[in-house]
Amino acid sequence: MFELLGIPPQALFGQLLLGLINGSFYALLSLGLAVIFGLLNIINFSHGAQYMMGAFVAWMLMTYAGINYWWALLLVPIIVGASGVVIERLMISRLYHLDHLYGLLLTFGLALIIQGLFRNRFGVSGLPYAIPAELTGAQNLGFMFLPNYRGWVVVASVVVCFGTWFAIERTRLGACLRAATENPTLVGAFGINVPRMITLTYGFGVGLAAFAGVLAAPIYSVNPNMGADLIIVVFAVVVIGGMGSILGAIVTGFGLGIVEGLTKVFYPEGSAVVIFVIMALVLLVKPAGLFGRTA
Amino acid sequence: MTSDTQTHYESAAEALPIGTPRHHVVIFGVLLAFLIVAPLVLYPVFLMKVLCFALFASALNLLLGFGGLLSFGHAAFFGSASYVSAHAAKVWGLTPELAILAGTAAAAVLGLVIGALAIRRQGIYFAMVTLAFAQMVFFFALQAPFTGGEDGIQAVPRGHLFGLLNLASDMTLYFVVVAIVFGGLLAIYRIIHSPFGQVLKAIRDNEPRAVSLGYKVNRYKLAVFVMSATLAGLAGATKALVFQLASLTDVYWTMSGEVVLMTLIGGMGTIFGPLVGATVIVAMQNYFAGLGAWVTILQGIIFVVSVLLFREGIVGVVARWIKKPL
């Protein structure tokens, strides 16, 4: 059995895998934040709560309607995304003429309401959500065991992240979206319904959060607080990456997950704060963020 | 959709700096008189809690309402000051005034470090950066050996002020807290109405213009950030003595959110708004404590309603009615 810097390889690869999984969630969530920020210019503070909603809706579909994981993966983003559309139409759309900070405050309030409601209904102890039968078990990779479900989480989030990247950077719809980010008035003059595009973009971003929630449900227990602390880490990820680029959000998300995993191996005490320390360093060296453009 | 950086908070308090308006003197006088009489009618510990949060919210308002910088991590300063003063009073056996001073100084240093980093980004990023650093402070408080983890620092002795005045009595402590908080509020009032405060408002309203006028904008921002952090620390350190407790609640992000809410519903950029906001929220928490998780939901609803319909805040609306800055 060989050892790497005094660390047994099982521990090293195990933590790397955990890091990669956390990174998948950072990437999906910061991607959603970046997409929403790009067009709406607001930071969606309720993103963590909507991720939590994703996990809960999947649990409810399973428990009350017997709808399995695979259908949940498809349905939950649509359901939660639709709730996002309603929120955008009723509330957020009234704030576009104001300072962007009001959007942050509004979505913070929404996060409190959503989390409070779920805590009232389900308590704070986690609810179990079974791994789908097709993905139980593990693969022996020689140097470590890879649980199938965890492998699936990484693959699924990579596919969804790059799908989103492709849709935004390489398709006609994405071109309209990027144009509207630069100059909404002009794009509106070309006959494109910009307000509707904004609404659907918010719905899509929220849907991404919900998708991440469904992916997370079998790994972490489904509980009302699961998004609350996570979203703050994701904010740090977003500050590090800079929200100017979709690809930047994805790469930073995965990268920081891995860095966090490695920290757990070599300096466990620092693993909770390593991302914040990196944020401080990035602010010192490149304040606009690794992939950001200076405004 | 606006993309300009000129931020306009809908505040009604844009006083011209010609002397101190008489109605402000009257309000401060009435407030002081009320605070002296109040403990005869109301529970002093409740009043002290309101006072501490009033100072905390006013400190945030100095930064948010007058500097235009939304810090979503002010709990870091409130909480770390509360930990340091609790530790100083309990373990080092310092007298209360020194313990409060130690806590406040710790918050000032922390404010200098976090502020210097945070002002490198603007607007929404500034809010996220402060929130992230506050979370880092939270994790530190969770793991550090002297903070007592989940238990916090309990049974902090109130001690004798200057070695003479026994603060174990709520009544005695109450008047000390009144003196501290009232002093803090007057300091904030003075800062706002100084030439420094005028430059601050200029930066808030139009940063590029302030730059072109030759002001070193970042120094002003950092200065106001440190002042705000220090005063928030003063509030936190005092709170630790009042409740004889420093706990994780004080450094958690919910606390940062609460103080933003107090400022928002009282009226951002008004002088007396944060006092009113703190009173409303603390009273709500006290009287609705039996409702459990509903308090959080209620706070969320107030947040949403304030942002959508009531951005001027309570004091802002009153100021508009009487057509005088408050």
Side-chain angles (χ1 to χ4, degrees):
Chain A
M1 215 63 226
F2 69 102
E3 288 202 348
L4 213 72
L5 300 168
I7 307 281
Q10 287 90 343
L12 181 65
F13 288 115
Q15 289 300 343
L16 264 183
L17 176 67
L18 276 183
L20 204 56
I21 292 191
N22 281 339
S24 307
F25 293 119
Y26 296 160
L28 277 173
L29 291 174
S30 62
L31 177 65
L33 282 180
V35 169
I36 292 172
F37 182 78
L39 203 53
L40 283 77
N41 268 318
I42 67 154
I43 281 292
N44 185 29
F45 211 125
S46 45
H47 217 64
Q50 280 148 343
Y51 156 85
M52 177 270 289
M53 264 173 90
F56 263 102
V57 173
W59 181 86
M60 286 191 253
L61 287 179
M62 173 80 93
T63 312
Y64 302 135
I67 294 172
N68 73 14
Y69 174 82
W70 302 104
W71 279 105
L73 218 45
L74 182 72
L75 289 175
V76 169
I78 296 172
I79 296 170
V80 181
S83 79
V85 166
V86 173
I87 287 172
E88 197 278 342
R89 276 292 86 204
L90 289 182
M91 299 179 196
I92 300 175
S93 60
R94 295 166 197 273
L95 299 176
Y96 293 140
H97 63 287
L98 296 169
D99 192 282
H100 306 326
L101 293 177
Y102 284 112
L104 179 76
L105 295 176
L106 176 83
T107 48
F108 178 77
L110 287 173
L112 289 184
I113 297 175
I114 297 171
Q115 269 158 20
L117 286 174
F118 277 91
R119 204 173 305 150
N120 254 9
R121 178 71 184 76
F122 296 100
V124 286
S125 55
L127 301 166
Y129 189 92
I131 292 176
E134 296 86 345
L135 292 174
T136 48
Q139 302 296 324
N140 188 353
L141 301 181
F143 51 89
M144 65 176 291
F145 277 96
L146 173 68
N148 289 348
Y149 186 77
R150 304 201 165 210
W152 154 250
V153 166
V154 176
V155 172
S157 57
V158 167
V159 168
V160 168
C161 282
F162 282 94
T164 307
W165 170 80
F166 186 81
I168 291 176
E169 299 287 338
R170 293 286 182 272
T171 64
R172 202 182 136 66
L173 179 71
C176 293
L177 211 69
R178 280 178 290 134
T181 309
E182 296 287 327
N183 192 336
T185 323
L186 197 62
V187 174
F190 283 130
I192 292 167
N193 188 342
V194 176
R196 189 166 66 200
M197 200 150 81
I198 290 175
T199 307
L200 292 178
T201 303
Y202 186 76
F204 177 74
V206 170
L208 274 180
F211 179 79
V214 183
L215 281 184
I219 298 186
Y220 309 117
S221 68
V222 180
N223 86 73
N225 297 326
M226 63 192 283
D229 289 337
L230 181 65
I231 196 62
I232 302 178
V233 179
V234 173
F235 280 175
V237 172
V238 160
V239 172
I240 293 168
M243 275 186 295
S245 119
I246 298 291
L247 206 56
I250 301 171
V251 173
T252 324
F254 280 106
L256 286 171
I258 292 170
V259 169
E260 200 183 38
L262 286 178
T263 318
K264 272 198 189 113
V265 180
F266 293 107
Y267 185 60
E269 295 83 3
S271 63
V273 295
V274 63
I275 289 184
F276 302 120
V277 173
I278 294 176
M279 182 182 83
L281 292 176
V282 168
L283 283 172
L284 278 175
V285 180
K286 198 166 181 296
L290 296 179
F291 297 87
R293 291 166 296 182
T294 331
Chain B
M1 213 180 301
T2 56
S3 58
D4 55 336
T5 51
Q6 292 90 314
T7 56
H8 297 285
Y9 294 101
E10 297 170 20
S11 67
E14 298 299 328
L16 290 171
I18 309 164
T20 308
R22 193 189 299 152
H23 67 282
H24 286 177
V25 180
V26 172
I27 292 173
F28 272 118
V30 170
L31 181 66
L32 189 60
F34 170 79
L35 288 176
I36 290 170
V37 184
L40 300 175
V41 195
L42 292 160
Y43 183 47
V45 175
F46 168 74
L47 286 171
M48 287 191 277
K49 186 174 179 192
V50 171
L51 281 170
C52 289
F53 279 100
L55 180 58
F56 186 20
S58 299
L60 181 84
N61 186 42
L62 174 64
L63 187 66
L64 170 60
F66 297 93
L69 300 167
L70 171 59
S71 162
F72 231 101
H74 251 45
F77 312 118
F78 185 80
S80 54
S82 134
Y83 272 116
V84 170
S85 69
H87 186 76
K90 191 176 179 184
V91 181
W92 298 340
L94 293 186
T95 50
E97 71 282 358
L98 290 177
I100 289 178
L101 214 57
T104 311
V109 172
L110 194 64
L112 187 65
V113 175
I114 293 183
L117 288 165
I119 58 164
R120 296 171 76 90
R121 298 304 298 268
Q122 276 140 0
I124 260 167
Y125 281 100
F126 181 87
M128 289 197 289
V129 169
T130 46
L131 176 64
F133 279 126
Q135 188 74 352
M136 190 171 161
V137 172
F138 169 78
F139 280 121
F140 179 78
L142 188 64
Q143 294 176 347
F146 76 94
T147 53
E150 302 273 350
D151 299 332
I153 305 179
Q154 299 178 355
V156 177
R158 284 180 179 174
H160 291 69
L161 190 72
F162 303 116
L164 300 168
L165 210 56
N166 188 357
L167 297 184
S169 139
D170 282 343
M171 244 357 181
T172 321
L173 183 62
Y174 172 77
F175 286 103
V176 174
V177 172
V178 167
I180 292 172
V181 171
F182 206 75
L185 294 178
L186 287 179
I188 290 171
Y189 186 85
R190 186 70 196 85
I191 294 169
I192 292 169
H193 293 87
S194 67
F196 172 83
Q198 297 301 320
V199 177
L200 219 53
K201 285 178 217 163
I203 295 172
R204 174 194 67 187
D205 291 339
N206 193 337
E207 187 170 333
R209 182 169 176 164
V211 173
S212 77
L213 287 171
Y215 290 108
K216 299 220 181 311
V217 169
N218 275 352
R219 283 193 200 167
Y220 280 90
K221 282 188 185 172
L222 182 57
V224 74
F225 193 91
V226 174
M227 287 176 200
S228 174
T230 311
L231 288 159
L234 181 61
T238 312
K239 196 233 82 175
L241 283 193
V242 171
F243 289 97
Q244 304 180 284
L245 172 74
S247 73
L248 287 173
T249 322
D250 301 338
V251 274
Y252 201 45
W253 56 266
T254 47
M255 181 64 83
S256 300
E258 252 167 46
V259 74
V260 172
L261 179 59
M262 289 172 188
T263 313
L264 181 67
I265 67 164
M268 277 191 259
T270 64
I271 292 157
F272 301 102
L275 277 69
V276 175
T279 313
V280 171
I281 297 295
V282 173
M284 191 186 87
Q285 287 170 345
N286 252 41
Y287 292 110
F288 296 156
L291 295 178
W294 286 103
V295 175
T296 317
I297 300 173
L298 199 58
Q299 279 184 358
I301 293 172
I302 297 176
F303 240 112
V304 170
V305 172
S306 307
V307 171
L308 287 176
L309 308 170
F310 200 59
R311 286 181 290 272
E312 292 168 297
I314 298 168
V315 171
V317 169
V318 174
R320 187 153 48 85
W321 281 345
I322 63 170
K323 298 196 174 67
K324 276 181 184 163
L326 285 173

